[in-house]
Amino acid sequence: MDYLPVFADIRGKLCLVVGGGEVAKRKSGVLLEAGARVRVVAPHIEPALAEKQGIETVVARFAPQHLDGVMLAIAATNDHAVNQEVSAHAHALNIPVNVVDSPELCSFIMPSILDRSPLMVAFSTGGASPVLARLLRGKLETLIPHGYGRLAGFAARFRETIKARIADPAQRRIFWENVLDGVVAEKVLAGDEASAEAMLQGLLANQDAQPGGEVYLVGAGPGDPDLLTFRALRLMQKADVVVYDNLVSKPVLEMTRRDASRIYVGKKRDDHTMPQEQINELLVRLAQQGKRVLRLKGGDPFIFGRGGEEIETLAAHGILFQVVPGITAASGVSSYAGIPLTHRDHAQSCVFVTGHLKDGSMNLDWDLLARPNQTVVVYMGLRGLETLCAQLIAHGLPASTPIAIVQQGTTQNQRVVTGTLTTLPASAELASLQAPTLIIVGGVVTLREKLAWFHPTPSAQPSR
Ligand code: SAH
């Protein structure tokens, strides 16, 4: 270990920053955030720095007396001689000193920081590669939820109470582990501290009780795992059981916890592996067994996903749950196909409908759909494509209206077929498209040609 990491309390203390430019401004900013008073010394100090609140400016070249009363010093000038001087004087006075980009002149170095106050993560490559530290920071940003600071604050609030109530340190540790990795923590992270507190009190009153299960209703997006949210990923790695259906792509499923059991509940068109009521009951049963259940659904759970029905049953049984939104097919698939859903020249509104056939017919409000300057996105519409096009024409859309159908958007198998209301049904038939497919109707479809060079490409991944 080349350095000893410490967290210094500099609240209300005087710190010196030598330098008046961008770097000095950044360093002063960190010191101010940690509550210090900052003295900035330089012959020229940029106004943006001088005007910061809590800063005392000294417009002069550095001189040793500027170190009077200082707790720590940072040299951030582009003049090596000045930096050396600051370092030498600070060393002589035993004042910790940092010289930006010159580890040999430093008595301490500044780590990269991930701030989830009061939780702080600080790390350093010991000067080996600041860029590497920055990359690592990016990774940690995605791993450590933003609400972790709140969670730490919550834990702090109850620390004394729990210490008084649970005398045995080992038991107390187990209690905290259950709290910080279970439903209570999830409530805090979701911003509901009142419920979290009630649960914590419940656990405290009944410490021997098994912690109950919970259900995470998570939107898995349209297929490309890069489109998952951080929260989805976190819960995917936490769940004990995964209940998923046909729309969830293989690469997404592979990102769930390795040792979680997986239950496939099907739903291809006409092949309903498990009726919805049974899925609802399954979720309740698993949660009642104390499991953390991940109900993984394609796209967004609340958009043609029957997520509402699932949580109704959970609520009726008093099961805890949380819902994590996902990128819905309309949004993900249209982006990857290069079709903006709205555009000032083409569409001021956008409607999502399901083209699912009921008794062979499509029961939609055609007058609403056949309006100019509007994009219509049809989920589950492949089988009804011909009816859809005929009805839109019959209700007033020009036969030349552009339309696209996208197969397995955002995955490696993405294919896009475009045409007009007259030509598309035949071209789609010829293309023998594979489900799932999404239909987009409206002038925006023509933009695809223009934007062809800029489509995001589905990331390298095994196919569905
Ligand atoms: N909850 C989902 C939609 C479920 S309905 C969501 O928000 O996206 C199922 C329909 O979604 C499919 O029939 C298809 O129309 C559409 N769909 C979902 N993923 C798709 C994909 N990757 N490519 C094309 N269409 C998709």
Side-chain angles (χ1 to χ4, degrees):
M1 194 152 86
D2 294 330
Y3 293 90
L4 174 73
V6 292
F7 290 86
D9 179 1
I10 59 170
R11 276 172 299 181
K13 303 280 166 46
L14 183 64
C15 297
L16 174 70
V17 174
V18 182
E22 189 53 42
V23 183
K25 186 171 124 213
R26 226 170 35 237
K27 299 293 172 190
S28 306
V30 181
L31 296 171
L32 289 171
E33 263 180 58
R37 291 181 293 128
V38 179
R39 173 183 294 161
V40 177
V41 176
H44 173 76
I45 302 173
E46 282 187 11
L49 169 54
E51 286 156 14
K52 269 185 185 285
Q53 198 145 31
I55 291 218
E56 167 203 333
T57 50
V58 181
V59 181
R61 192 184 189 280
F62 166 75
Q65 74 266 21
H66 295 138
L67 282 163
D68 286 353
V70 161
M71 186 197 177
L72 64 81
I74 298 179
T77 79
N78 48 16
D79 183 331
H80 191 63
V82 174
N83 287 347
Q84 254 172 339
E85 239 176 277
V86 177
S87 170
H89 285 286
H91 272 98
L93 293 165
N94 277 328
I95 296 173
V97 61
N98 174 269
V99 180
V100 175
D101 285 340
S102 302
E104 73 287 357
L105 296 179
C106 294
S107 61
F108 75 93
I109 55 175
M110 298 280 275
S112 288
I113 299 169
L114 189 83
D115 185 359
R116 300 281 192 271
S117 291
L119 177 84
M120 293 286 281
V121 184
F123 52 97
S124 146
T125 57
S129 170
V131 176
L132 188 65
R134 212 163 52 235
L135 290 176
L136 179 63
R137 182 168 169 268
K139 285 190 203 298
L140 290 176
E141 283 281 5
T142 65
L143 276 180
I144 303 179
H146 267 260
Y148 249 52
R150 224 180 306 134
L151 187 59
F154 180 84
R157 264 208 293 142
F158 293 99
R159 196 168 162 197
E160 289 309 318
T161 320
I162 285 167
K163 205 166 171 182
R165 290 282 293 278
I166 312 177
D168 177 33
Q171 234 181 331
R172 198 160 62 230
R173 183 178 49 78
I174 294 172
F175 179 85
W176 271 122
E177 277 173 5
N178 283 336
V179 167
L180 295 176
D181 195 31
V183 284
V184 178
E186 284 303 334
K187 279 285 170 206
V188 176
L189 294 177
D192 184 0
E193 291 203 21
S195 303
E197 179 168 352
M199 283 178 194
L200 180 105
Q201 299 293 5
L203 282 178
L204 204 53
N206 194 359
Q207 282 169 46
D208 298 329
Q210 282 289 317
E214 56 184 328
V215 176
Y216 313 130
L217 185 60
V218 172
D224 184 347
D226 279 4
L227 295 180
L228 287 168
T229 60
F230 294 152
R231 186 144 165 229
L233 185 62
R234 184 165 58 78
L235 295 175
M236 284 163 72
Q237 309 219 321
K238 195 165 172 182
D240 309 306
V241 194
V242 183
V243 179
Y244 68 102
D245 51 44
N246 214 44
L247 269 186
V248 175
S249 73
K250 203 160 162 261
V252 167
L253 191 61
E254 276 166 7
M255 295 181 83
T256 56
R257 217 175 86 194
R258 288 268 155 235
D259 57 344
S261 35
R262 295 175 182 179
I263 304 177
Y264 175 68
V265 291
K267 274 214 227 157
K268 267 187 207 145
R269 212 178 44 195
D270 300 337
D271 160 30
H272 286 231
T273 310
M274 192 182 279
Q276 186 66 47
E277 297 69 35
Q278 271 184 37
I279 298 177
N280 301 350
E281 282 159 22
L282 173 72
L283 298 177
V284 170
R285 204 166 57 244
L286 290 168
Q288 280 172 342
Q289 291 165 7
K291 302 224 164 72
R292 292 184 286 204
V293 186
L294 176 74
R295 173 65 174 119
L296 200 54
K297 298 179 85 78
D300 181 278
F302 283 172
I303 295 183
F304 305 128
R306 304 187 74 169
E309 295 166 44
E310 294 178 9
I311 59 174
E312 258 175 56
T313 316
L314 296 173
H317 285 80
I319 308 274
L320 292 170
F321 63 84
Q322 50 173 308
V323 183
V324 181
I327 292 188
T328 189
S331 168
V333 172
S334 63
S335 297
Y336 279 53
I339 303 173
L341 291 181
T342 65
H343 186 286
R344 289 215 301 187
D345 299 338
H346 298 278
Q348 281 75 47
S349 64
C350 175
V351 192
F352 298 174
V353 292
T354 161
H356 191 65
L357 296 174
K358 223 176 184 178
D359 312 323
S361 71
M362 217 182 263
N363 196 8
L364 292 172
D365 181 348
W366 297 109
D367 288 326
L368 175 89
L369 299 185
R371 286 197 185 158
N373 301 320
Q374 170 170 274
T375 304
V376 178
V377 180
V378 188
Y379 288 70
M380 297 175 272
L382 180 60
R383 280 225 288 194
L385 181 60
E386 210 173 326
T387 316
L388 175 84
C389 292
Q391 290 283 10
L392 288 175
I393 295 171
H395 287 80
L397 275 192
S400 58
T401 304
I403 173 169
I405 182 160
V406 186
Q407 157 189 299
Q408 300 182 9
T410 81
T411 75
Q412 287 277 289
N413 301 332
Q414 172 172 309
R415 284 171 64 202
V416 185
V417 181
T418 56
T420 65
L421 291 178
T422 323
T423 63
L424 193 77
S427 336
E429 172 100 40
L430 274 179
S432 343
L433 299 174
Q434 303 286 315
T437 58
L438 191 81
I439 299 168
I440 304 172
V441 186
V444 289
V445 170
T446 56
L447 294 167
R448 181 176 152 73
E449 303 298 320
K450 253 198 208 163
L451 302 176
W453 291 104
F454 307 110
H455 306 167
T457 25
S459 58
Q461 51 178 283
S463 56
R464 228 175 244 277

